[in-house]
Amino acid sequence: MSKKALITGISGQDGSYLAELLLSKGYEVYGVIRRSSSPNTPRIDHIRNRLGLHYGDLTDSLSINDIVYMVEPDEIYHLGAQSDVKISFNAPKYTTEVNALGTLYLLEAIRNHCPKVKFYNAATSELFGKATIFPQKEDTPFNPRSPYAIAKLFSYHLTKNYREAYNLFAVNGILFNHESERRGGNFVTKKIVNGLVNYIHTGESFSLGALNTKRDWGHASEYVEMMWKMLQQKKPEDFVIATGETHTIKEFIDECLLHLPRNTFIWKETMLWDNHWTNSLVIETEKQHYRPTDVDLLVGDSTKAKEKLGWAPKIKFRELVKIMMEDEMSML
């Protein structure tokens, strides 16, 4: 008999890749989606007829409880969240309800209906926040810097507590930034890719926030495989998943430019960074894009995942940018 998996956030970047992976392994895959007046499932439309989708909302404990009870899954992957860090400052209550209480509702449903289920909770490198230890690993102290990260910290500790208090197989995946051609347009990497390619088509410039922040970027398709591997272990443990490399937003833009036609811009060997560059495209840094408190540098140490899960990222920074740019260019 095939295993059954339930994915919250199945229509998102990670959820779509994870659904594809689990289907390829013979799982019955179910997902939680929010009811909307407009289509919100383009990332999974190509496999929709192979999925069991249920309408629900992480802020509604009754709907979450009912879905878990009906599906009776063997594995639950909790990826659903209000995932925009900047928006979390504008909507802290909603962010907390989704990211913190949503996890509570799921864990309570598991405890009451299927305590043998294996539960994966999507934690985040934002937990480390203003870190003082580099690189960050599983035992690095947390110092969250946003309502998003604080709600995720609640979710992290709650998952750990339910594991210890009720002997649940519950794990936290502390995943560092992972992008793809399926990334949402409100995330900086996709905003850059969209903005540059759109400039070719329309001549319109765009604006960003901080350009010197450093992040550890990988490809989402590889990270979801580690989610699955965490639930195949004999005992539940938390893992950091990262590439161990950091690059600035500036570097990301530089790399993107290498994939555009050279006659698009007044090409320069070195970009000029003083709120703009070249005589044609202007990338302004505007205060509206800055967060009240930000995170300057995140880089992960995945030694534990390498030893126990066989983690070794194949898609590194340059290949990631190439994939995203070529996909966006193909839509012109």
Side-chain angles (χ1 to χ4, degrees), residues 190-204 206 256-257 259-261 264-265 281 321 324-332:
K190 191 67 169 181
K191 187 174 182 180
I192 291 168
V193 170
N194 284 344
L196 291 174
V197 175
N198 182 62
Y199 175 79
I200 297 175
H201 185 61
T202 67
E204 295 178 1
F206 61 100
C256 286
L257 288 171
H259 300 282
L260 294 176
T264 303
F265 310 104
L281 172 63
V321 175
M324 294 181 70
M325 284 296 294
E326 289 183 349
D327 178 77
E328 197 68 27
M329 291 285 289
S330 70
M331 298 180 187
L332 274 179

Side-chain angles (χ1 to χ4, degrees), residues 2-37:
S2 59
K3 289 183 179 180
K4 290 192 287 185
L6 175 65
I7 304 172
T8 69
I10 194 171
S11 61
Q13 170 190 254
D14 291 7
S16 64
Y17 281 117
L18 179 61
E20 289 174 344
L21 175 69
L22 296 177
L23 287 172
S24 74
K25 294 182 179 296
Y27 279 67
E28 291 180 34
V29 179
Y30 299 83
V32 181
I33 58 173
R34 288 180 297 170
R35 188 174 293 279
S36 173
S37 59

